[in-house]
Amino acid sequence: MTEEPAIRVQGLKKSFKKLHVLRGVDFEVERGSVFALLGSNGAGKTTVVKILATLLKSDAGTATVHGFDVATRAGEVRESISLTGQFAAVDEILTGRENLILVAKLRHMKAPGAIADELLVRFSLTEAGNRKAATYSGGMRRRLDIAMSLIGKPPIIFLDEPTTGLDPEGRIEVWETVKQLAAQGTTVLLTTQYLDEAEQLADRIAILHKGTIIQTGTLAYLKQLLPVATVEYVEKQPSLEDVFLALVGDTRATGSEEVSDTASDGRAVR
């Protein structure tokens, strides 16, 4: 017997008056995988997430999350998921640790302080745990937001445009967090409009365009859809992200080594 997928969507449709947002969406998400719903603004990504999270009712079609029908068993679905929206939902007046304790208490968890401390360690926020969230960088706030969403250990997490508004360093911090979640067995449904984000994180990618899925598959499969280009000479140039991190210092490094390189005009960059 094959294992029931973590998420199954069949023929999902949704309209707002005369605006047809979803026109029959179909996809499945395997348990313990990262699935990227890739599309431009207005493609319908957030509408799909809201339906799966029981925040919105579809006009037609069916969807199950963790084996529960979103229309008839909404309570069980909500107990199985966590949703992180486009903007971090942290209380800036509270410290990072206080934010985590508050959510743990609201979910009636035992030993909320211990849960908070464990998550601070897990998301590399221990040193900032007693600082107010208002002092956090964008990447730190997003990590705290994701940590809050994991209280209660939901098997499925929805990340709706998780790196919106973040600088390059913040985006990389969130990417590392998502990779850790997947490594620990959490099923992640990620919506994004960034091609590199889907390429970096997803086991499978579904391209949503004008309310329908036009293609689904692994990155390798999607690349095979286009013919291989013939290249006679390729000069690899550093990406803007490489340049940025080299100039400001890669915060992922633990050491304090000076970054040095040579610019295209021969000037030393330090």
Side-chain angles (χ1 to χ4, degrees), residues 180-251:
Q180 290 174 17
L181 291 176
Q184 293 162 1
T186 303
T187 302
V188 179
L189 173 60
L190 168 81
T191 74
T192 183
Q193 58 181 310
Y194 301 123
L195 302 176
D196 58 340
E197 190 158 272
E199 188 170 356
Q200 282 281 335
L201 299 176
D203 298 304
R204 289 175 61 81
I205 301 167
I207 300 175
L208 182 64
H209 181 64
K210 294 183 178 180
T212 61
I213 301 291
I214 59 175
Q215 194 59 256
T216 305
T218 63
L219 177 62
Y221 169 78
L222 294 177
K223 285 185 175 182
Q224 289 176 357
L225 298 177
L226 294 180
V228 177
T230 301
V231 180
E232 296 181 358
Y233 174 77
V234 176
E235 180 178 337
K236 186 180 183 303
Q237 296 291 332
S239 67
L240 182 57
E241 184 175 287
D242 293 333
V243 174
F244 177 86
L245 292 175
L247 291 174
V248 304
D250 191 341
T251 57

Side-chain angles (χ1 to χ4, degrees), residues 17-80:
K17 294 184 179 181
K18 294 183 179 180
L19 178 62
H20 302 293
V21 179
L22 303 179
R23 300 171 180 266
V25 173
D26 301 270
F27 65 85
E28 292 184 357
V29 180
E30 297 178 1
R31 294 180 183 273
S33 68
V34 178
F35 187 91
L37 199 56
L38 177 65
S40 57
N41 285 332
K45 304 186 300 295
T46 297
T47 300
V48 171
V49 169
K50 286 184 176 180
I51 292 172
L52 295 178
T54 74
L55 300 176
L56 192 65
K57 291 185 178 180
S58 64
D59 297 331
T62 62
T64 59
V65 175
H66 202 50
F68 303 114
D69 188 286
V70 299
T72 61
R73 303 184 69 179
E76 290 95 331
V77 170
R78 291 171 186 164
E79 291 178 357
S80 305

